[in-house]
Amino acid sequence: MTTTHPAGFTAAGVAAGLKSTGAKDLALVVNHGPTFDSATVFTSNRCKANPVLWSQEVVKDGTVRAVVLNSGGANCYTGPEGFQTTHAVAEQVASCLGIGAIDVVVCSTGLIGLANDRGHLLAGVDAATAALSADGGLDAAEAIMTTDSVSKTVVVEGAGWSIGGMAKGAGMLAPALATMLVVITTDAVVPAADLDAALRAATRVSFDRLDSDGCMSTNDTVTVLASGASGITPTPEDFTAALTQACTDLAMQLLKDAEGADHEIAITTLHAASEEEAVEVSRSVARSNLFKAAVFGNDPNWGRVLASVGTTTAQFDPADLDVAMNGVWVCRQSTPAEDPSSIDLTGREVSVTIDLKSGDARATVWTNDLTHAYVHENSAYSS
């Protein structure tokens, strides 16, 4: 039941007419309390869509009672009329639920520069409100899909409390979130400040480490709502661990559904001087089109890994780097080592390990290979 697995939540997913296919395209998730604590993180792209601009104001007081999401159009760079549409949607949700519009987060996803039909959206809100159900989480997860081939959902059980979540995203996956909308719910009692700390800790090692193509979108939103309906207050450590598990699970589902990818690649940098430097090195490899094209061709070209490492500001000795691919150390002390021909890259999962020999920190960044299918998909679609 995803977002409706925790107590205190209902959801719905309906067809509002934004998608020409007639598929579900509007979702609503409602927190019925008794508490309404929340935390949200947004894209760090300076070019933000109207729903993000609205929702950034909504979340400032740590109270959110509903999240309304549409696919079929990003409502980004649609002028003042587009922002008014976002506001009108929030007001409609508020009117239907008897709450304040300032407690309604709005999310949109789809093509940039496409004006969403306001009449369709408002009618969709009415339909979604009428369809709200404690079993509506799966319909909501379906309604936020764009180029996703499958919906993404997760449930994590705590000790008498739980976390549920849904996500969409299948490309333009990059740091500081991705082309993703994520709604996470919990029936634990967690104050807004603690939710914020837990969410930022969780996204730092999950969504922020997802770098499919180095492109950052304009609509990315990850929000977590706490109903307190279980009456149980977990320790901050236990809640953060569970939330991190949920975020990581959803992030890996996004990775596996990246548009046209043949390989999921985990790039781990070891023995860095700091975690930040480990992330920088792993991300530099994840963003190398030459390396990603080599993996697509099943070519264990470790030279492209070293070339990417050399573009960073991390501490290391260029003459003493080790690189492994799928556990085979093809490079030791920056010279050829084990035979690369022994590496089998035909499976979907590929691992790259880089040893900087400069400290004790480590970090993993996840990416995909660069395929013909990815180029084809994104030559006709952008969000």
Side-chain angles (χ1 to χ4, degrees):
M1 292 184 290
T2 71
T3 52
T4 52
H5 179 80
F9 293 94
T10 58
V14 300
L18 298 175
K19 290 180 178 176
S20 60
T21 61
K24 296 182 182 72
D25 52 19
L26 188 139
L28 181 61
V29 179
V30 179
N31 180 1
H32 297 277
T35 65
F36 305 97
D37 295 285
S38 72
T40 307
V41 291
F42 300 98
T43 179
S44 60
N45 196 323
R46 292 171 59 197
C47 297
K48 293 177 172 62
N50 290 309
V52 173
L53 297 175
W54 165 266
S55 298
Q56 282 179 321
E57 297 303 312
V58 169
V59 304
K60 284 183 176 179
D61 65 355
T63 299
V64 172
R65 299 186 63 151
V67 182
V68 59
L69 314 92
N70 77 267
S71 54
N75 193 5
C76 180
Y77 286 110
T78 52
E81 187 72 13
F83 187 83
Q84 291 167 16
T85 294
T86 292
H87 189 184
V89 168
E91 291 282 2
Q92 188 75 0
V93 171
S95 176
C96 288
L97 298 178
I99 61 176
I102 196 60
D103 291 332
V104 179
V105 164
V106 181
C107 303
S108 298
T109 184
L111 286 170
I112 292 171
L114 178 65
N116 293 329
D117 187 288
R118 189 180 301 178
H120 288 342
L121 282 169
L122 299 184
V125 169
D126 292 342
T129 303
L132 284 170
S133 165
D135 298 322
L138 292 177
D139 286 337
E142 181 183 341
I144 61 176
M145 294 167 57
T146 51
T147 57
D148 306 66
S149 65
V150 294
S151 59
K152 288 92 174 174
T153 64
V154 68
V155 169
V156 175
E157 296 289 354
W161 54 275
S162 65
I163 289 174
M166 67 178 185
K168 66 78 50 182
M172 284 179 73
L173 303 176
L177 309 187
T179 305
M180 64 171 66
L181 301 181
V182 181
V183 178
I184 298 171
T185 59
T186 182
D187 52 14
V189 178
V190 188
D194 292 341
L195 276 179
D196 185 74
L199 181 61
R200 293 180 186 279
T203 56
R204 183 181 65 82
V205 295
S206 57
F207 298 125
D208 285 355
R209 300 282 176 86
L210 201 59
D211 200 328
S212 180
D213 54 20
C215 296
M216 187 187 300
S217 189
T218 54
N219 292 59
D220 315 326
T221 304
V222 178
T223 190
V224 56
L225 313 175
S227 71
S230 71
I232 297 173
T233 304
T235 67
E237 293 77 15
D238 286 348
F239 183 76
T240 299
L243 184 60
T244 300
Q245 180 183 340
C247 289
T248 301
D249 188 301
L250 290 172
M252 293 303 99
Q253 292 182 56
L254 296 175
L255 180 72
K256 292 181 184 301
D257 198 29
E259 296 156 344
D262 287 347
H263 297 86
E264 290 90 44
I265 311 167
I267 304 166
T268 301
T269 298
L270 306 174
H271 300 120
S274 66
E275 183 179 345
E276 292 74 16
E277 292 190 4
V279 171
E280 181 187 5
V281 168
S282 292
R283 200 181 299 286
S284 71
V285 178
R287 290 187 170 184
S288 167
N289 285 336
L290 285 175
F291 166 72
K292 290 151 70 77
V295 174
F296 170 60
N298 298 328
D299 175 15
N301 193 325
W302 56 268
R304 293 177 178 176
V305 175
L306 290 187
S308 297
V309 173
T311 66
T312 71
T313 60
Q315 299 178 52
F316 60 84
D317 180 355
D320 191 17
L321 294 169
D322 296 348
V323 176
M325 298 184 69
N326 283 359
V328 178
W329 289 95
V330 288
C331 172
R332 293 280 194 185
Q333 295 181 313
S334 301
T335 59
E338 298 181 55
D339 185 0
S341 66
S342 65
I343 301 173
D344 182 7
L345 295 180
T346 57
R348 287 196 65 92
E349 294 186 1
V350 174
S351 67
V352 176
T353 307
I354 304 159
D355 192 342
L356 298 185
K357 307 176 186 178
S358 297
D360 298 322
R362 61 180 292 161
T364 300
V365 171
W366 295 275
T367 191
N368 307 96
D369 55 344
L370 181 59
T371 67
H372 301 304
Y374 178 86
V375 174
H376 176 75
E377 180 72 30
N378 286 280
S379 64
Y381 184 90
S382 177
S383 69

